[in-house]
Amino acid sequence: MTMEQRLAAIGPRLRRQLERLYGARGDTGELWAMTVALLHERAVERPAALVALDAARLADPDWFVRPDMLGYSTYVDLFAGTVAGLAERVPYLRDQGVRYLHLLALLKARAGDSDGGFAVADYLAVEPRLGDMDELERLTARLREANISLCVDLALNHTADDHVWAQAARAGDPFYRDFYIVVDAATAAARDAELPQVFPATAPGNFTAVPAMGGHVWTTFYPFQWDLDWRNPDVFLSILDVALRLANKGVEAFRLDSIAFLWKQPGTDCRNLPETHYIVRALRAALDIVAPATLLKAEAIVPTAFVPPYFGKDEGDGFEPECHLVYNNSLMVAGWVALAERSAALPAAIIAASGGLPRGANWLSYARCHDDIGWGSVLGDLRAIDPAPERRLADAAHRLEGADGGWGRAEPFQSDGALLHGSNGTLASIAGLEAARDADEREAAFRRIALLNALAIASGGLATTYMGDELGQFNDRSYRDDPERAHEGRWLHRPAMDWDAVDGAASRRIGGDLRALRAARVASGGAGAPTSLPTGMDALLGIGCGSDRVFLNFGAAALPLPAAGRDRLTGAVCDSVPGWGVAWLEGGR
């Protein structure tokens, strides 16, 4: 299918979203003509190697929903120093079984504090200390040779305050001033009274006074991150152009950062609004036309009930696809709750609610990532089984933070004294490896690490490991000595990659467990939406993965299995699972 054929087939879907978003402004004919012209311009520039990749992906639309589709997430500088240095580490990634690589905060960030690189100063430039776009293109080519797809962050909600658009707006350019939302002091105060806050402890409020802009700029996250005004179609065209240009550089997936916040509507909390979905569907349709090898991934760290619409929706006259991948953040949080409570009730509920995915869609699952564990995202799920979920989640967080001498070494994040907060920490530190004092405690920690990795892998999503977790790296408290990072507690679990530890005992154990779990999933044929299996025991979680049955014991004591079977992880027939253990039984479904 040629680009012109895709335009004819998919164009109506794209135009429908533009009408929904901008039809009230008047005739959208001019906007449509500008959009089509942009699509043609970028399609002509698309390199032959990527056109061939498009054809291969169109012939195999479920290519990313495969049992062997496993991922890795890292910062370039912490992992390999530079983009060129990372290219030399591709053999390591390939040996780890990586098929999908997410490079965090790769694009040029603002000077000084940049929210860990997510305050983007230039969408079309690599952070200079990491490399340049030519090096990035060489990296993407090398990754394609290794069958690894590159994902980068695309910040949709905001730019840095020193982005060229923001600089022009501050200088008085009316075209770019309309890229941002500026209100007077009274309006800012009124809106702040009804809007929730993302970082109440370190960046309170949703507006920042900017005299050069003549008022208060909408800044949902940090004062140096100016929210874009997606009510302006020029913002849509500009971001679409960015996405198409990056796709033509070999980027195969975009993590849509802060996706839930895009549309601002008075009288609402400005989260998960219908127009946000229309924006993402429009971007999806445009990429499907020009660069159909490209995936969109929703970073929708929101209550579970609001997550499924980011896959798309049936609008009556047909299904409108949105994101190919969506973070299963609730399942990650539920795994930690289960570990703290020694009860599988919450992950069982999340898995039961995670089915029914549309064709060509998948969850992105993980045990830990570069962000905090946001306990509040599962409040709604817990209310169905507990009338006081806030206290229950706070208790779970405190246990994992080592309360009463426990094994966890998490630390609170954004805690202002309120009952509920987030928690930071590496996988190994929170699971007890850092606090282990003897061989028995180390063994227990290794089992808990494997347990959480098994939850991510057996649940069928594109299971992604965060850098260093495969080595068992501990919390890095040195960030407190850096004035530019000391206020940002998430640096605790963003240590530099310890290459000297690759052949260490912890790495051999954790890496061996990961390889066994991945091999079991491939053998089972399991991928896509998970299914929940009843076990009759509070601490025992049952998951259907492909043809297999997987049982995860979140308790400290051994438990009998509902039926015996051959364990793919050990090769032995087993009828029980040890404390904090995993049994991956062949067949039986």
Side-chain angles (χ1 to χ4, degrees):
M1 183 181 288
T2 67
M3 183 271 185
E4 290 296 339
Q5 290 171 321
R6 294 195 296 271
L7 178 60
I10 302 171
R13 171 162 43 103
L14 171 57
R15 189 161 191 174
R16 187 180 309 126
Q17 313 312 320
L18 299 181
E19 291 285 351
R20 287 168 168 168
L21 290 166
Y22 306 114
R25 298 170 64 98
D27 181 22
T28 58
E30 182 179 358
L31 172 60
W32 176 245
M34 294 171 67
T35 302
V36 171
L38 176 61
L39 298 180
H40 278 112
E41 186 175 352
R42 297 294 164 255
V44 168
E45 297 171 351
R46 192 151 173 82
L50 297 177
V51 172
L53 184 66
D54 291 334
R57 298 282 166 79
L58 286 170
D60 182 18
D62 292 332
W63 64 273
F64 62 96
V65 188
R66 297 276 187 253
D68 67 339
M69 197 68 190
L70 299 160
Y72 194 83
S73 176
T74 186
Y75 289 87
V76 172
D77 55 343
L78 298 177
F79 184 72
T82 63
V83 171
L86 193 144
E88 298 304 313
R89 296 292 188 179
V90 170
Y92 173 82
L93 297 170
R94 188 178 57 236
D95 291 345
Q96 295 291 313
V98 173
R99 294 282 315 283
Y100 162 97
L101 175 65
H102 176 194
L103 295 183
L104 290 151
L106 174 67
L107 304 179
K108 183 180 179 182
R110 79 184 291 273
D113 191 1
S114 63
D115 184 23
F118 290 101
V120 177
D122 189 342
Y123 291 107
L124 297 175
V126 172
E127 174 62 32
R129 61 188 174 82
L130 303 179
D132 57 33
M133 290 302 292
D134 290 339
E135 290 171 316
L136 178 61
E137 282 195 89
R138 288 194 287 273
L139 172 63
T140 61
R142 187 161 185 177
L143 289 170
R144 281 197 304 277
E145 291 175 359
N147 203 21
I148 299 173
S149 297
L150 177 65
C151 174
V152 302
D153 304 299
L154 186 59
L156 296 184
N157 182 69
H158 47 256
T159 71
D161 60 359
D162 61 352
H163 189 285
V164 63
W165 301 341
Q167 292 183 40
R170 188 185 280 110
D173 186 326
F175 179 80
Y176 286 109
R177 192 181 189 281
D178 286 346
F179 272 44
Y180 302 98
I181 305 171
V182 185
V183 301
D184 58 33
T187 301
R191 292 311 314 274
D192 250 338
E194 62 185 10
L195 290 170
Q197 300 182 47
V198 177
F199 298 134
T202 57
N206 290 274
F207 296 87
T208 299
V210 182
M213 294 287 282
H216 289 65
V217 176
W218 201 311
T219 55
T220 297
F221 291 87
Y222 286 101
F224 50 75
Q225 289 169 309
W226 290 8
D227 286 29
L228 289 165
D229 189 354
W230 281 90
R231 298 169 300 178
N232 179 356
D234 290 316
V235 169
F236 170 80
L237 287 170
S238 297
I239 293 294
L240 174 58
D241 189 32
V242 164
L244 293 173
R245 287 176 183 269
L246 289 173
N248 282 351
K249 296 294 184 181
V251 173
E252 295 184 35
F254 293 108
R255 171 185 173 270
L256 303 183
D257 183 52
S258 309
I259 191 175
F261 299 84
L262 303 186
W263 197 263
K264 309 300 194 287
Q265 183 71 36
T268 74
D269 64 1
C270 300
R271 300 186 183 190
N272 306 297
L273 297 181
E275 291 83 358
T276 288
H277 295 285
Y278 303 152
I279 291 167
V280 182
R281 291 182 208 172
L283 293 173
R284 165 72 181 266
L287 283 162
D288 282 351
I289 292 168
V290 176
T294 312
L295 301 178
L296 294 182
K297 178 177 65 173
E299 192 235 357
I301 311 303
V302 297
T304 306
F306 293 100
V307 175
Y310 286 97
F311 286 114
K313 187 178 180 182
D314 191 334
E315 292 290 356
D317 56 350
F319 183 77
E320 295 183 353
E322 200 162 323
C323 288
H324 304 79
L325 297 166
V326 177
Y327 281 96
N328 202 341
N329 175 72
S330 297
L331 184 60
M332 180 273 291
V333 176
W336 290 105
V337 173
L339 202 62
E341 295 186 334
R342 303 187 182 186
S343 167
L346 186 55
I350 299 295
I351 286 175
S354 297
L357 294 182
R359 174 83 185 272
N362 203 6
W363 295 105
L364 188 132
S365 53
Y366 53 107
R368 281 295 295 117
C369 70
H370 69 290
D371 273 334
D372 61 297
I373 302 172
W375 304 105
S377 64
V378 296
L379 277 171
D381 304 280
L382 265 181
R383 280 199 179 94
I385 56 179
D386 190 326
E390 290 88 355
R391 169 52 64 188
R392 184 169 175 176
L393 287 170
D395 288 345
H398 293 152
R399 290 191 200 105
L400 295 175
E401 289 161 7
D404 302 321
W407 36 259
R409 289 297 178 268
E411 294 187 6
F413 177 61
Q414 294 291 331
S415 178
D416 58 358
L419 181 66
L420 195 59
H421 56 74
S423 294
N424 294 327
T426 67
L427 174 58
S429 289
I430 307 179
L433 192 58
E434 181 179 339
R437 296 163 295 185
D438 55 37
D440 288 343
E441 291 185 357
R442 284 176 62 82
E443 174 62 24
F446 284 134
R447 287 188 182 182
R448 289 189 287 265
I449 292 168
L451 180 69
L452 291 171
N453 282 327
L455 178 62
I457 291 171
S459 58
L462 200 168
T464 299
T465 300
Y466 179 69
M467 177 203 73
D469 280 349
E470 78 275 23
L471 308 181
Q473 288 192 236
F474 297 159
N475 290 339
D476 178 12
R477 297 172 179 82
S478 66
Y479 80 94
R480 295 168 181 162
D481 299 324
D482 182 347
E484 289 191 359
R485 297 191 300 162
H487 69 282
E488 174 52 83
R490 290 175 293 184
W491 286 112
L492 180 73
H493 51 257
R494 300 170 183 172
M497 183 73 167
D498 184 0
W499 289 104
D500 292 335
V502 167
D503 294 322
S507 175
R508 290 195 301 272
R509 172 60 184 273
I510 297 169
D513 288 342
L514 274 169
R515 285 188 291 274
L517 289 165
R518 289 165 174 162
R521 183 168 108 162
V522 171
S524 75
T531 56
S532 181
L533 302 178
T535 68
M537 287 167 277
D538 185 61
L540 190 64
L541 176 67
I543 302 175
C545 184
S547 62
D548 292 352
R549 296 161 296 143
V550 186
F551 296 96
L552 288 74
N553 183 359
F554 285 92
L559 292 173
L561 293 174
R566 183 172 296 278
D567 186 0
R568 290 193 189 275
L569 303 177
T570 65
V573 174
C574 68
D575 58 6
S576 66
V577 58
W580 295 307
V582 179
W584 195 302
L585 304 188
E586 295 181 23
R589 294 193 66 206

